[in-house]
Amino acid sequence: MSQRQRYTSEDHYRSSGHRSQRSSENHSRSSGHRSQRSSDGRNRTGRTTASSGRHKTSDTGENTRRRKRKKHPIRRFLLLLLLLVVVLIVGAGVYIVSSLSEIENHELQNVALCGDNDPNIGKYTTIALFGVDSRANDLRKNTRSDSIMIASINKKTHEVKLVSVFRDTYVQIEDHGCSKANHAYAYGGPDLAVDTLNKNFDLSIQDFVTVNFSALTNVIDELGGITLNIKKEELKWVNAYGRDVARINGQKYTKIKKPGKQTVTGVQATGYCRVRYTKGGDFTRAERQRTVLQAIFDKAKTTTPTTLVSVMDTIFPQIYTSLSTQDMLALLMYLPFYDIGEQQGFPYKQNGHKGSDGVYYGFPDTLESNVIKLHEELFGTKDYSPSDTVRKISKKTSG
């Protein structure tokens, strides 16, 4: 082989190897570039995905914030509503307390507590209620109590029991001997009247409430009247007493034209309370008074708060009581839950006739046995054993 041929072969070999190497390098470079581009593409895709994820997260957070922003006005409204309710409640409380301060208060003095023999008496709040028969609407002394009631309120169940003490009941009054029960208020005001109830009936009454004709009339009118069933034999007497009440209170009287169930005004209802010249005398009179009180109570429970405020404004300045502001607030708090249960007249058994002085009295038959039944009615105490004081008084007053 010639030298030229060898050179050509070598050159060809070298050239082929060089091309192969370049081809291999180019292929590697090309593959590397494609891998890098692919990797860059994946990275770009990853970045795009991540970026997309960030966009989604950002959108979700924005929506949440928007939802929260939408809820905020509702929360603010509820907060303002709650604040308004609190302000109204506090305002009502302040108003009631300030109104209660207008009541004429009198702390009882020299009143004997005689209920130690009854184990159940402490479970009840017992209050004496007086309606005074005063032409001058005087709440203190020198006036006879036209209406005498004993209210027993169960501290647990809030049941209210009322017992009317007949005004002609023959009782013993401290320093005044034996006389009618309604004379005690005239002799010594509520102090002596409560003391008389406690000593004659073995009670531990520590509080009283006194109202007059005007208070009863005004409250009924503020409530829009009450419903009563006027009987035929009562009609003329209701009108007669009603005209008298209207004269005392400086009001006009509207005559009731026919008997039956009807809505009556305050003056008409007060006249109804005073009727005693029908069958049953003082017994039916006391029954009428309890009927009116029940009607007032029922109407008050269903009336509007505005009307109740008006009632309080009217009656509070016309009340004379030993109850403190705290006591009255405690009683008012349970007003919607009170339920007037049994209503009785006392004495349950009596003999009515003139005494040695020629005056008509209701003599308990006997005081001792009546007191035993009274404790069962008011406090649920069976087989009550009266005190020695009651037994001694019973010998003097039973007829």
Side-chain angles (χ1 to χ4, degrees):
M1 178 179 301
S2 65
Q3 186 176 359
R4 187 179 177 178
Q5 287 178 330
R6 284 197 305 272
Y7 175 80
T8 302
S9 296
E10 284 178 10
D11 286 344
H12 175 76
Y13 175 79
R14 290 186 186 133
S15 177
S16 297
H18 186 65
R19 283 196 303 270
S20 296
Q21 185 176 358
R22 281 200 311 268
S23 178
S24 176
E25 286 175 0
N26 290 336
H27 177 72
S28 296
R29 288 194 192 107
S30 177
S31 297
H33 286 316
R34 281 197 302 271
S35 297
Q36 186 175 0
R37 282 197 304 270
S38 176
S39 175
D40 290 344
R42 282 195 300 271
N43 288 341
R44 281 196 298 271
T45 304
R47 283 196 299 271
T48 302
T49 304
S51 175
S52 177
R54 282 196 300 274
H55 286 315
K56 286 180 181 177
T57 304
S58 178
D59 289 345
T60 305
E62 230 175 276
N63 291 336
T64 304
R65 284 193 295 274
R66 284 175 187 169
R67 283 197 295 270
K68 285 182 179 178
R69 281 198 295 270
K70 288 179 181 177
K71 289 181 179 178
H72 285 168
I74 298 175
R75 289 178 181 174
R76 285 196 292 270
F77 173 75
L78 292 175
L79 184 60
L80 287 172
L81 184 61
L82 179 62
L83 185 61
L84 179 62
V85 170
V86 170
V87 169
L88 287 174
I89 291 173
V90 172
V94 171
Y95 176 82
I96 291 172
V97 171
S98 63
S99 298
L100 289 173
S101 64
E102 296 181 15
I103 295 175
E104 187 174 1
N105 193 267
H106 171 76
E107 187 176 350
L108 290 174
Q109 299 176 355
N110 302 319
V111 173
L113 303 180
C114 308
D116 293 342
N117 281 14
D118 194 328
N120 295 322
I121 205 167
K123 301 174 184 177
Y124 296 80
T125 299
T126 311
I127 303 173
L129 309 176
F130 301 110
V132 293
D133 183 6
S134 171
R135 295 299 182 271
N137 278 330
D138 189 5
L139 297 174
R140 298 169 181 260
K141 295 183 181 181
N142 304 319
T143 178
R144 296 177 182 178
S145 49
D146 188 59
S147 173
I148 306 170
M149 292 187 192
I150 301 169
S152 167
I153 306 171
N154 189 304
K155 293 178 180 178
K156 186 175 181 181
T157 67
H158 308 299
E159 181 185 17
V160 181
K161 294 182 180 179
L162 293 175
V163 171
S164 297
V165 178
F166 302 135
R167 57 186 244 161
D168 291 335
T169 303
Y170 197 60
V171 296
Q172 180 174 292
I173 304 173
E174 190 71 26
D175 298 328
H176 294 276
C178 293
S179 186
K180 293 184 178 184
N182 71 329
H183 288 179
Y185 201 102
Y187 293 150
D191 304 82
L192 186 57
V194 172
D195 183 72
T196 300
L197 295 175
N198 285 347
K199 287 178 179 176
N200 283 265
F201 309 146
D202 271 354
L203 299 174
S204 292
I205 300 172
Q206 300 181 57
D207 289 298
F208 78 95
V209 176
T210 298
V211 295
N212 56 26
F213 288 161
S214 178
L216 182 64
T217 299
N218 293 340
V219 166
I220 294 171
D221 286 339
E222 289 292 343
L223 289 171
I226 57 173
T227 301
L228 294 177
N229 186 16
I230 309 295
K231 297 177 183 178
K232 186 177 180 180
E233 64 271 20
E234 296 171 330
L235 185 58
K236 73 172 184 177
W237 295 112
V238 172
N239 284 321
Y241 278 112
R243 281 190 291 268
D244 189 39
V245 172
R247 180 181 57 79
I248 295 169
N249 293 339
Q251 296 173 292
K252 292 183 179 180
Y253 182 72
T254 302
K255 182 180 178 181
I256 300 176
K257 296 180 180 179
K258 59 181 180 179
K261 192 173 183 180
Q262 55 197 291
T263 300
V264 299
T265 66
V267 171
Q268 292 166 341
T270 307
Y272 174 82
C273 284
R274 299 188 62 212
V275 173
R276 65 181 303 186
Y277 298 110
T278 59
K279 186 178 179 180
D282 203 28
F283 178 83
T284 52
R285 174 192 176 97
E287 188 175 31
R288 291 185 193 99
Q289 292 169 354
R290 294 194 303 272
T291 299
V292 168
L293 188 60
Q294 175 76 64
I296 293 172
F297 186 80
D298 290 342
K299 191 72 175 284
K301 287 175 69 173
T302 59
T303 195
T304 64
T306 305
T307 302
L308 284 179
V309 169
S310 182
V311 169
M312 288 189 292
D313 281 342
T314 300
I315 194 172
F316 284 173
Q318 302 180 71
I319 291 178
Y320 186 46
T321 182
S322 61
L323 292 168
S324 66
T325 299
Q326 291 78 7
D327 292 334
M328 285 182 279
L329 285 173
L331 290 173
L332 288 171
M333 181 174 64
Y334 290 103
L335 179 63
F337 307 102
Y338 288 136
D339 179 35
I340 296 182
E342 299 177 23
Q343 300 182 46
Q344 301 286 333
F346 185 91
Y348 305 104
K349 189 176 179 181
Q350 64 175 338
N351 292 317
H353 58 81
K354 291 182 179 180
S356 56
D357 57 359
V359 177
Y360 178 90
Y361 299 102
F363 296 94
D365 186 20
T366 63
L367 177 62
E368 186 176 346
S369 62
N370 274 283
V371 167
I372 291 172
K373 187 175 180 181
L374 178 67
H375 280 253
E376 183 175 353
E377 295 290 341
L378 288 178
F379 314 117
T381 306
K382 297 184 180 297
D383 301 322
Y384 175 71
S385 179
S387 66
D388 291 338
T389 301
V390 168
R391 290 194 177 95
K392 290 178 182 176
I393 296 173
S394 183
K395 293 177 181 178
K396 300 176 182 178
T397 60
S398 298

